[in-house]
Amino acid sequence: MSETSPAEKPTAAPAAPEKKTESLETIVALCKRRGFIFASSDIYGGFNGFFDYGPLGVELKRNIRDCWWRDMVQRRDDVVGIESSIIMHPKVWQASGHVDGFTDPLVDCKTSKQRFRADQLFFAAVVVDGSVRGYVSALESEDTSGALQAAAEAFKRKQAIQGTLAPVEPREFTEATAEQIPQIPSPATGEPGSLTPPRAFNMMFETQVGALRDGSSVAYLRPETAQGMFVDFKPVVDTGRVKLPFGIAQVGKSFRNEITPRNFIFRSREFEQMEMEYFIHEDADWQAHHREWIQWCWDWLKSIGLPEAELSLYDHPKEKLSFYSRGTTDIMFRYPFGVQELWGIAARGNYDLGQHEQASGVPQAIFDEATKKKFIPHVIEPAVGTDRIFLAVLCAAYAEETITDEKGATDTRTVLRLSPRIAPVKVAVLPLLKNKDALTTRAKALYKKLQHRYAVFYDEAGAIGRRYRRQDEIGTPWCVTIDFDTVEKDGSFTLRERDSMQQRRISEAELFTLLDEAVY
Ligand code: ATP
């Protein structure tokens, strides 16, 4: 038996990892298999749009949130945090415009009882030799045009129509005319006649507060955390010794009755937001602040391990902005289902504070010593969903690698290349052998010591190579193996790195230094 930890088989470095987009199913399966995420209320068949985070998932999510809080609030001199209530006075949501305007266009299919978002449902006329012969429809996907084109060709074949089919021109269902709607097939049944015209559907969940159940008791679960920062602006200014420009941040649950929750945790009905309102002088160069925050968010995503190649920026076109918004830029991530919004950074003017001043009658203006003027500050809002970051880091970190040993035999390993900042387990402590007291005692002592500061895992079951692979699959950056040299010689142990699979000897002090630098 070898004195020290045996080299892992196969030992050769992994082939240059080719980055391919993993399918969403692969990620969902891993989440289920390893206890990252479960369907909510699974024993009752699940509940669409709701999810539970399991033992590893809750650690990963908490790490993302804690990193954000440390970097956004604790490590900055100009941002403070709050935690406001989830259910606020209903007048908040009237003033903010959510009661009247927080709607999605809803389309019902009367036959299947399915519901669609009109802005995610597309249709096209089937034009043969210049005349319209019918309509086809498709739900938004990475290749909506391709899907509509294929549907148009199938339609022409099925109806045995002769002639030349024109390329389809996709339109959003929101643009369908009253004459077109009855002719557009439902994506649920493939038959026309069952789709209703779009109607505004408010996405806020309603509840009743108090014993009386009448109109006056209606309240809402918040659809965003941002209004908490606006409503608490005055008390923070009055008590917090803050000076412009400064930010108020909050992390917490938000709720939206999404018509079509989909893409796993990307769009769910209960989710967590990490938002910050950065208040600036009314005459400040808002574009410069906006740019700075876009850069900050971009850099922060990199700091938790998202590769720049998977990120991009999207500037909302001026004509699609809400009337009060001056500019919105989204940081987009390449998810398996397409490039989608991860983080929105909006310049919102002073609309929200102004609305609350008007509705509550409580002045929100602050006094500027320099100009001796009162004004309502303007705001830059970076708003991101923790769950969307969670999904992005899993997609970016997931790899199946083919590795070849020195004899040429190949093997596949699944590895999550998570940043040590957010990995659910930082170190796994492994005694080389389970039945040698000297090894397990030393390993457990190290494990207990590490546990004071870090999330660590102790595993003595199975061959060492298999134990390494189990850790690879959950993204543990390092394993340390306690062997006979550890207890008989200098106390050093084998440190095995997840990504390179390289092994080296390291002392306990060096291990703590390594962790201190990597987990911040
Ligand atoms: P979308 O257009 O995707 O519905 P949005 O523009 O309405 O999103 P915001 O209101 O700007 O989103 O919310 C801020 C952030 O909250 C988003 O960038 C996203 O990360 C997250 N978020 C919004 N809706 C959901 C949801 N249903 N599930 C998970 N995260 C969400």
Side-chain angles (χ1 to χ4, degrees):
M1 181 168 309
S2 139
E3 287 276 272
T4 56
S5 326
E8 188 177 355
K9 269 171 99 181
T11 54
E18 84 214 49
K19 189 62 210 158
K20 53 181 177 2
T21 310
E22 293 307 329
S23 76
L24 188 61
E25 289 70 41
T26 315
I27 304 294
V28 175
L30 173 83
C31 283
K32 196 169 176 183
R33 186 167 74 243
R34 296 311 308 264
F36 282 94
I37 297 175
F38 313 122
S40 161
S41 324
D42 204 18
I43 58 169
Y44 294 101
F47 200 35
N48 196 11
F50 298 91
F51 295 91
D52 291 350
Y53 286 77
L56 288 172
V58 75
E59 295 291 336
L60 176 55
K61 188 170 173 184
R62 192 173 286 255
N63 292 342
I64 294 169
R65 181 195 302 135
D66 289 350
C67 280
W68 186 90
W69 189 262
R70 275 200 299 278
D71 293 339
M72 177 62 95
V73 182
Q74 296 174 334
R75 289 175 180 157
R76 290 188 67 104
D77 301 328
D78 58 349
V79 178
V80 294
I82 60 162
E83 191 172 302
S84 65
S85 62
I86 286 176
I87 298 177
M88 300 165 82
H89 198 294
K91 282 186 180 162
V92 169
W93 304 109
Q94 268 150 20
S96 67
H98 283 81
V99 171
D100 292 330
F102 194 60
T103 57
D104 268 346
L106 170 72
V107 178
D108 282 299
C109 166
K110 285 178 288 189
T111 309
S112 69
K113 307 284 179 242
Q114 281 195 38
R115 300 183 135 182
F116 308 100
R117 251 173 74 172
D119 56 343
Q120 292 173 352
L121 175 56
F122 286 78
F123 74 101
V126 181
V127 181
V128 179
D129 291 341
S131 62
V132 175
R133 309 298 294 267
Y135 290 88
V136 288
S137 68
L139 290 172
E140 187 180 24
S141 68
E142 254 194 285
D143 184 18
T144 313
S145 293
L148 286 170
Q149 188 67 42
E153 279 157 20
F155 180 91
K156 178 171 172 270
R157 253 195 325 274
K158 204 165 150 207
Q159 307 279 326
I161 301 170
Q162 302 299 317
T164 310
L165 177 69
V168 295
E169 285 178 24
R171 294 249 179 284
E172 238 178 61
F173 194 81
T174 45
E175 299 166 31
T177 63
E179 291 76 50
Q180 286 169 327
I181 288 174
Q183 302 179 60
I184 298 172
S186 158
T189 62
E191 298 298 325
S194 66
L195 294 178
T196 64
R199 65 189 163 87
F201 170 78
N202 195 301
M203 289 198 287
M204 283 198 292
F205 282 102
E206 280 185 16
T207 186
Q208 308 264 335
V209 172
L212 273 182
R213 297 202 159 246
D214 59 18
S216 68
S217 65
V218 169
Y220 307 95
L221 302 194
R222 67 179 176 202
E224 60 173 37
T225 62
Q227 293 305 319
M229 279 79 97
F230 295 122
V231 172
D232 285 346
F233 173 73
K234 262 293 178 193
V236 169
V237 169
D238 293 345
T239 57
R241 291 193 299 170
V242 284
K243 265 181 38 209
L244 288 183
F246 74 93
I248 309 180
Q250 156 157 241
V251 176
K253 288 273 177 115
S254 292
F255 304 82
R256 295 183 188 179
N257 198 359
E258 297 277 358
I259 298 167
T260 48
R262 59 181 182 160
N263 294 329
F264 198 30
I265 54 171
F266 178 83
R267 184 178 302 289
S268 48
R269 288 177 166 143
E270 173 178 339
F271 55 98
E272 186 177 282
Q273 288 187 308
M274 306 194 288
E275 297 194 287
M276 195 275 295
E277 303 300 329
Y278 197 70
F279 298 97
I280 58 176
H281 197 286
E282 62 175 350
D283 300 327
D285 180 352
W286 68 267
Q287 283 166 315
H289 283 292
H290 191 225
R291 273 197 306 276
E292 259 171 52
W293 278 109
I294 295 166
Q295 188 65 48
W296 189 94
C297 298
W298 182 278
D299 291 342
W300 188 82
L301 290 171
K302 277 167 58 187
S303 84
I304 59 157
L306 284 186
E308 219 159 10
E310 311 287 315
L311 300 173
S312 52
L313 292 178
Y314 171 73
D315 293 322
H316 287 229
K318 285 266 170 307
E319 63 278 11
K320 288 226 167 176
L321 293 174
S322 20
F323 67 92
Y324 54 82
S325 177
R326 296 173 153 199
T328 297
T329 300
D330 291 340
I331 299 182
M332 314 290 282
F333 178 77
R334 192 160 60 90
Y335 288 97
F337 40 86
V339 173
Q340 296 278 343
E341 171 181 341
L342 173 60
W343 202 328
I345 301 111
R348 294 174 66 95
N350 62 3
Y351 173 79
D352 300 88
L353 285 181
Q355 286 291 103
H356 288 304
E357 172 170 295
Q358 232 176 37
S360 67
V362 179
Q364 300 295 312
I366 59 175
F367 184 69
D368 181 25
E369 289 293 344
T371 55
K372 306 285 178 215
K373 253 177 62 187
K374 278 189 149 191
F375 65 92
I376 298 181
H378 288 225
V379 77
I380 308 287
E381 176 193 84
V384 69
T386 319
D387 314 82
R388 283 198 188 172
I389 296 181
F390 188 108
L391 185 56
V393 295
L394 280 189
C395 294
Y398 186 94
E400 283 172 23
E401 288 176 351
T402 304
I403 42 184
T404 314
D405 69 13
E406 60 276 290
K407 294 192 194 113
T410 58
D411 189 13
T412 306
R413 75 160 181 157
T414 301
V415 56
L416 275 187
R417 289 205 211 85
L418 293 173
S419 155
R421 291 195 81 190
I422 58 168
V425 177
K426 311 300 181 199
V427 188
V429 181
L430 322 171
L432 181 59
L433 296 169
K434 182 177 168 180
N435 52 5
K436 294 281 182 233
D437 275 354
L439 299 186
T440 53
T441 306
R442 175 72 185 95
K444 279 180 187 158
L446 176 66
Y447 167 66
K448 282 286 155 199
K449 195 164 173 190
L450 284 164
Q451 214 175 32
H452 278 287
R453 301 256 299 272
Y454 303 104
V456 284
F457 191 78
Y458 177 82
D459 187 8
E460 55 180 30
I464 197 81
R466 267 219 300 284
R467 281 185 266 166
Y468 287 154
R469 295 303 168 79
R470 281 205 288 267
Q471 296 304 316
D472 289 344
E473 208 189 27
I474 63 167
T476 307
W478 298 284
C479 293
V480 292
T481 303
I482 309 299
D483 52 37
F484 291 103
D485 272 3
T486 315
V487 291
E488 287 163 10
K489 290 190 181 159
D490 56 2
S492 70
F493 29 74
T494 302
L495 179 86
R496 185 265 194 187
E497 284 176 2
R498 176 195 65 204
D499 296 347
S500 65
M501 298 195 296
Q502 299 289 319
Q503 302 185 4
R504 64 189 161 100
R505 299 299 288 186
I506 187 171
S507 72
E508 189 174 302
E510 284 167 338
L511 175 65
F512 273 92
T513 307
L514 173 87
L515 285 168
D516 190 47
E517 280 167 11
V519 183
Y520 58 95

